[in-house]
Amino acid sequence: MTITTLLYIIIAGIIALLLAFFQYKYNKKSMSKLNMLFLLLRVVTLFSVLLLIINPKFENTTFYKEKPNLILAVDNSSSIKHLKQNSNVLRLLKTIKENKELNTKFDITTYTFGNTLKATDSITFTEQETNIDNVFNQLSQVYKNETAPMLLITDGNQTYGNDYQYTASNYKHPIYPIILGDTVTHTDLSIQQLNVNKYAFLKNQFPVECIVVYNGNKAINSRFEVRSGKNLVYSESVSFSKNNNSKLINFTLPANRVGVDTYKATITPIKNEKNTINNSKVFAVEVIDQKTNVAIVSDFPHPDIGALKKSIESNEQHSVTILKPNDFLSQKNNFQSVILYQPDNTFKPIIESLKTDNKGVFIIIGTDTDLHFLFLNASYFSQEITNQTDDVQAELNKSYGPFLIQDINFESFPPLKSNFGDVSFSVPFETILYQKMDSKSSTKPLLSTFEVTGKREAVLFGEGIWQWRAQSFIENKSFVAFDNFINKIIQYLSTNKPKKRLTIDYESFYNGNNGITIKAEFFDKNYNFDNREGLEITVKDSLSNTKQTFPFILRDNMYQVDLSSLKPSEYSFVVNATNENISQSGSFKILEYNVEQQFLNANVTKLQQVATNSLGKHYFIAQNQSLITDLLRDNRYQTIQKSHKNTIPLIDWKYLLFLIVLSLTIEWFLRKYNGLI
C-alpha cells in the first residue's frame, strides 16, 4: 500500500467522523448513549463506503515448497523383451517408486517411449520402433524451467530419429542412463542394411544392394542366399575377418511377372551364434508392366520445372522429360501426360495436337503466360485479363472428390504469383485448391481438374510452386508429403478410369515394423464427400483363412483404419459401406521384419557419452542401490521454498460489504425499535 493511499484512508476516516458528528451532534447540547451508538454505526458505514471508493490494494504473500522432479523415461520397445530385460525393468521401477526417501526428495513422473512418448505407468514392451531423440526434444520443453534429472532406462538402440547423443544436449538437466542388456561382445553375423527399389518393370532386371556385417575376431566363411519362396534365386560365398568385417553385395534379379514378389535374404549363421534373427531380412518388389512418361514443355527455364521433375520422379513409376515446344510433337507418342508450363504462341501446334490425343494435360499459368493466346486456343476455361498480378495462397477444398488429397498444410506455404482476374470454366470442373488473398478465403480456383470426352486435364493459376516443395521440406524434414501430392495429380491425369464413389488408398506391401494405415473416401451421388457413411474393412489372411473386421474412423475429412495389429502374411480385403451396397476390394502383404530384434547388445558407448555430456552418470541395471544413494546425496537436487505474491483490491473483500449492510441494518432496527422512524 502506498503512502498516498494511506493518506486517503486517514482523510476518509476524518470525513466519516465529521459527517457522523454533523448528523448526530450538531445543535445538540448533550448526547444520549443511543445517539452515541448511532454515531458509531454511521461512522462505520461512511468509512466503509469511502474505503470502497478509495479501493486500496493489499499484497498477500504465500510460501510453498517445490521439490525437484525425477523423470523416469522407460524404453517400451520390444527390444527390451527380446534382450530379456523386461522383468529387470519392472523390478527397478518398483524399487524406485516404493523408496520413501526418493519420494520425499523428488516428485517422480514416469514416461514411456517407443514410437511416441507417453506419460503413463503402463509398460508392455510391445512398441515396434524406438525414438530416443524424441524423448529429449519433448521433455526439454516440458521441464524447461524446473529441476528435472532424468533416469533413461533403455538399451540405447534407436531405430529412427536423429542421433540422440547430440540432441540430448537440448535437455538442460543431468541424465542418468540405466543400461539394459548384455554388454559382452558376442560373435555375430548380420544383414545390417538391404536396399532395393520399391518398383520394377516387367522383363527388366532390378538391382539389390545388401550390407553384411561381421562382429568377431576369427576368420570365418559363410554363404549369402536369396530365395523366392523355396526357389534359390541368388547365392554367393563370403569371407570375413577381424579387419575385413563388412561386405557389400550387389546383384540383380529378374522381374518376370506382374505383381508383388517377396524375397528372403539370408546370411548363413556361424557356429554358436547367439542372435540369428538378424541373419535374415525379407524384402519385396512390385513389378509393373509399364512406366508413366511425363513431358514438361517450356520455352524458358524456371525453378518450378526442376521442382516438378524431382517430385514426379520420386515415384519410380514415373519418368520426366523436359522439352522445348519445337521438340515435343516428334516425341509426343512416348508420353502419357503432358505439362504445359506457361504456354505462349509457340505452343499452338502442341495444343491443337493434344485436342485429338487421349493424353492428360496439366497447364500451369504464370506471369509470363500469353493469356490472349491461351484463352483463345484453350476453349474449356478462361481468366479475365487485367494485366495485373497478385500474390495468392492456397486453401484446400476438403470436399474434392476425384481422388484422395491429404492436407499438407497448404495454408502455410508461400504465396504463388498469379494473374489478377476472375476465372471461368465452360465445362464441369472440381477445385483442389482455392485462392486465398490477404488471409481471406474465396471460391476462386487456384488448382482445378476437369474431364472432357474421357480426357483429364488440370490447370494451376499461379507460378512459384518450387517454394511449396522447399517449405514442405522445412516443415516435415522430407519432400515426401509434397511429392505425393504432385504424383497424385499425375496419376489422375494418366488414367481414364471412371469416377468411383468409394476410393481406397493403400500400398501393395508393408514392412512389418511400420504402421499400417488404409485410407478411404466416400462420396454421395453428386460426388460430394459424405461423412455420414459407416465404412468397415474385412481382412482375410490368405494363409490361415482367418477373417477380421475393423471399423474406419473419420479423421481430417478422411476415413482411416489402423491395421498395425495384423501379423506378417498375405491379406485380401473388402471395404463395405454399411448404409449402401457399395464395396471395394484389394490385397496387400505384410513383410516379416522386426527391427527391434536385430540388436544383440546395449549401446553402452553412446549412453555413457550422454551421461558425461549432461553431468550425469551411467549405471547398469544391477546397480540400482548405488543409483538411489547417489540421487539422495546429490546436493544439486534440493527442495526450494518459493513465494507467490498476490495483490488483492479491497473491493474483492466481501466482508466489508457485509459490514456496511450489518451496520445499516442495526441502525435501522434500533431507530425503528425506539420509534425514531
Side-chain angles (χ1 to χ4, degrees):
M1 186 186 302
T2 63
I3 296 176
T4 304
T5 304
L6 185 60
L7 183 60
Y8 284 155
I9 293 173
I10 294 171
I11 294 173
I14 296 171
I15 292 173
L17 190 61
L18 291 175
L19 287 174
F21 265 92
F22 177 77
Q23 291 176 329
Y24 288 100
K25 179 68 176 173
Y26 185 70
N27 291 333
K28 293 180 181 178
K29 294 181 179 180
S30 63
M31 288 281 290
S32 65
K33 291 182 179 179
L34 187 61
N35 282 337
M36 288 293 290
L37 181 58
F38 288 155
L39 185 144
L40 179 62
L41 291 171
R42 185 56 57 94
V43 169
V44 171
T45 301
L46 292 173
F47 182 66
S48 299
V49 171
L50 291 173
L51 274 181
L52 287 177
I53 295 173
I54 297 170
N55 192 25
K57 296 177 175 61
F58 301 92
E59 290 184 348
N60 180 31
T61 303
T62 57
F63 296 91
Y64 62 96
K65 293 182 178 180
E66 184 179 276
K67 295 192 292 184
N69 297 284
L70 181 62
I71 309 305
L72 307 182
V74 185
D75 192 336
N76 196 33
S77 64
S78 60
S79 65
I80 304 302
K81 186 179 289 186
H82 177 65
L83 295 175
K84 299 179 181 179
Q85 294 294 317
N86 49 315
S87 58
N88 292 334
V89 172
L90 296 176
R91 279 196 297 270
L92 173 64
L93 292 175
K94 184 179 180 181
T95 301
I96 292 174
K97 291 179 180 180
E98 292 181 353
N99 188 285
K100 293 182 179 180
E101 292 180 280
L102 281 179
N103 281 276
T104 301
K105 185 172 183 177
F106 296 98
D107 284 330
I108 301 175
T109 306
T110 304
Y111 293 86
T112 64
F113 63 89
N115 305 74
T116 57
L117 179 69
K118 301 174 184 176
T120 178
D121 289 327
S122 176
I123 304 173
T124 58
F125 305 107
T126 57
E127 298 200 40
Q128 297 301 308
E129 291 182 303
T130 307
N131 188 352
I132 305 176
D133 163 61
N134 190 42
V135 176
F136 299 123
N137 284 335
Q138 291 197 34
L139 295 185
S140 63
Q141 298 299 317
V142 176
Y143 298 99
K144 186 176 182 180
N145 300 315
E146 301 179 38
T147 302
M150 177 191 294
L151 304 188
L152 182 66
I153 306 171
T154 180
D155 58 8
N157 295 313
Q158 179 173 266
T159 59
Y160 77 104
N162 296 323
D163 190 338
Y164 67 86
Q165 180 177 338
Y166 303 103
T167 55
S169 60
N170 296 332
Y171 193 75
K172 305 300 182 182
H173 309 285
I175 301 170
Y176 298 87
I178 314 300
I179 302 174
L180 307 174
D182 197 347
T183 59
V184 178
T185 301
H186 296 276
T187 302
D188 186 57
L189 263 178
S190 65
I191 297 178
Q192 186 180 72
Q193 189 170 337
L194 193 148
N195 302 317
V196 64
N197 294 330
K198 187 174 183 179
Y199 301 100
F201 299 97
L202 189 64
K203 304 302 182 184
N204 285 350
Q205 298 277 329
F206 62 90
V208 183
E209 180 182 77
C210 188
I211 301 174
V212 182
V213 176
Y214 168 65
N215 187 13
N217 297 320
K218 298 180 180 180
I220 63 163
N221 297 313
S222 185
R223 189 163 192 82
F224 176 79
E225 296 181 346
V226 179
R227 294 181 180 272
S228 176
K230 295 182 179 180
N231 298 323
L232 180 67
V233 295
Y234 181 82
S235 65
E236 179 181 334
S237 297
V238 289
S239 300
F240 299 95
S241 64
K242 181 178 180 180
N243 296 323
N244 184 25
N245 58 2
S246 65
K247 178 77 172 178
L248 178 64
I249 303 174
N250 289 294
F251 57 96
T252 59
L253 296 176
N256 294 325
R257 65 181 185 87
V258 174
V260 177
D261 285 336
T262 305
Y263 301 88
K264 185 175 184 178
T266 303
I267 182 74
T268 304
I270 56 180
K271 187 178 180 180
N272 298 324
E273 187 171 350
K274 187 172 182 180
N275 184 10
T276 58
I277 295 177
N278 58 12
N279 290 65
S280 301
K281 191 165 185 179
V282 177
F283 65 97
V285 174
E286 184 175 2
V287 180
I288 54 180
D289 61 356
Q290 63 178 356
K291 195 169 189 175
T292 299
N293 296 314
V294 181
I296 300 179
V297 184
S298 177
D299 201 29
F300 61 93
H302 193 282
D304 282 355
I305 298 172
L308 287 169
K309 177 178 172 64
K310 289 179 180 178
S311 290
I312 296 169
E313 289 189 337
S314 67
N315 185 330
E316 297 166 11
Q317 300 181 61
H318 298 157
S319 174
V320 174
T321 304
I322 301 173
L323 298 171
K324 291 283 188 179
N326 295 335
D327 301 328
F328 172 74
L329 288 178
S330 61
Q331 305 178 43
K332 71 172 185 176
N333 292 331
N334 298 332
F335 305 104
Q336 288 75 47
S337 299
V338 182
I339 299 176
L340 304 181
Y341 189 80
Q342 302 208 46
D344 55 21
N345 56 7
T346 61
F347 283 68
K348 186 172 183 179
I350 298 175
I351 293 177
E352 292 296 327
S353 175
L354 291 175
K355 287 181 180 179
T356 58
D357 287 342
N358 193 28
K359 300 182 188 298
V361 179
F362 186 8
I363 299 176
I364 299 178
I365 300 173
T367 56
D368 293 317
T369 304
D370 188 338
L371 299 179
H372 292 280
F373 159 77
L374 178 62
F375 299 144
L376 183 65
N377 291 273
S379 56
Y380 304 128
F381 61 91
S382 63
Q383 185 176 14
E384 181 184 2
I385 300 176
T386 61
N387 295 321
Q388 294 179 333
T389 60
D390 202 357
D391 292 331
V392 297
Q393 288 184 289
E395 183 176 21
L396 179 65
N397 174 19
K398 295 181 179 179
S399 298
Y400 180 76
F403 55 90
L404 293 173
I405 290 290
Q406 188 171 359
D407 190 355
I408 57 174
N409 204 11
F410 291 102
E411 295 186 29
S412 70
F413 288 174
L416 301 184
K417 186 68 72 174
S418 177
N419 294 290
F420 183 78
D422 292 333
V423 175
S424 60
F425 284 82
S426 60
V427 294
F429 71 100
E430 296 195 57
T431 300
I432 300 176
L433 300 174
Y434 291 118
Q435 294 187 21
K436 192 174 183 180
M437 294 167 285
D438 298 326
S439 300
K440 295 181 180 178
S441 300
S442 73
T443 57
K444 185 177 177 181
L446 176 61
L447 174 60
S448 296
T449 60
F450 55 92
E451 296 185 35
V452 181
T453 61
K455 185 175 72 170
R456 295 176 170 179
E457 297 194 23
V459 56
L460 174 65
F461 295 94
E463 65 174 279
I465 200 170
W466 66 272
Q467 299 177 82
W468 288 10
R469 191 170 191 261
Q471 182 65 30
S472 180
F473 181 84
I474 292 173
E475 293 179 359
N476 304 302
K477 309 302 181 192
S478 169
F479 294 113
V480 172
F482 179 81
D483 292 348
N484 286 343
F485 165 67
I486 294 296
N487 275 293
K488 285 191 175 183
I489 297 175
I490 298 301
Q491 184 179 356
Y492 166 80
L493 296 174
S494 302
T495 59
N496 294 312
K497 296 179 181 178
K499 191 184 300 184
K500 297 178 180 179
R501 290 182 57 193
L502 176 60
T503 58
I504 311 297
D505 187 10
Y506 68 99
E507 301 289 339
S508 300
F509 61 89
Y510 299 88
N511 289 318
N513 60 303
N514 294 333
I516 302 169
T517 302
I518 292 181
K519 300 177 181 179
E521 281 192 322
F522 187 83
F523 303 96
D524 60 23
K525 294 181 180 179
N526 294 323
Y527 291 97
N528 296 315
F529 181 76
D530 188 351
N531 60 6
R532 300 165 298 176
E533 184 59 65
L535 299 181
E536 61 180 24
I537 182 171
T538 300
V539 182
K540 179 182 178 182
D541 188 328
S542 301
L543 301 181
S544 64
N545 289 324
T546 57
K547 292 184 178 181
Q548 297 183 66
T549 300
F550 302 88
F552 278 83
I553 297 174
L554 185 63
R555 183 178 299 166
D556 298 329
N557 285 312
M558 189 177 296
Y559 292 95
Q560 299 183 24
V561 62
D562 186 357
L563 302 180
S564 301
S565 61
L566 296 178
K567 298 179 180 179
S569 186
E570 298 180 12
Y571 294 92
S572 60
F573 68 86
V574 178
V575 177
N576 292 293
T578 57
N579 297 325
E580 298 196 42
N581 188 23
I582 297 176
S583 64
Q584 293 290 338
S585 61
S587 62
F588 60 87
K589 289 184 178 181
I590 301 178
L591 305 183
E592 186 174 1
Y593 179 69
N594 189 335
V595 67
E596 293 291 334
Q597 295 181 358
Q598 305 303 305
F599 304 109
L600 186 62
N601 301 97
N603 197 333
V604 178
T605 302
K606 188 170 289 189
L607 291 174
Q608 288 175 335
Q609 192 62 49
V610 167
T612 302
N613 294 343
S614 66
L615 302 180
K617 184 179 178 181
H618 74 276
Y619 299 86
F620 293 98
I621 189 67
Q623 298 174 301
N624 56 75
Q625 290 304 322
S626 298
L627 165 67
I628 293 172
T629 301
D630 291 345
L631 288 173
L632 293 174
R633 291 178 178 177
D634 198 321
N635 293 325
R636 290 178 293 178
Y637 315 128
Q638 299 291 338
T639 299
I640 302 172
Q641 180 173 284
K642 292 187 175 182
S643 62
H644 178 72
K645 186 179 291 185
N646 188 22
T647 302
I648 304 173
L650 187 65
I651 199 170
D652 291 340
W653 197 50
K654 299 177 183 179
Y655 296 107
L656 187 60
L657 179 61
F658 174 75
L659 182 62
I660 295 172
V661 174
L662 181 63
S663 63
L664 288 173
T665 302
I666 294 172
E667 183 181 350
W668 177 87
F669 179 79
L670 291 175
R671 290 171 67 87
K672 184 74 173 179
Y673 182 78
N674 290 280
L676 299 177
I677 298 179

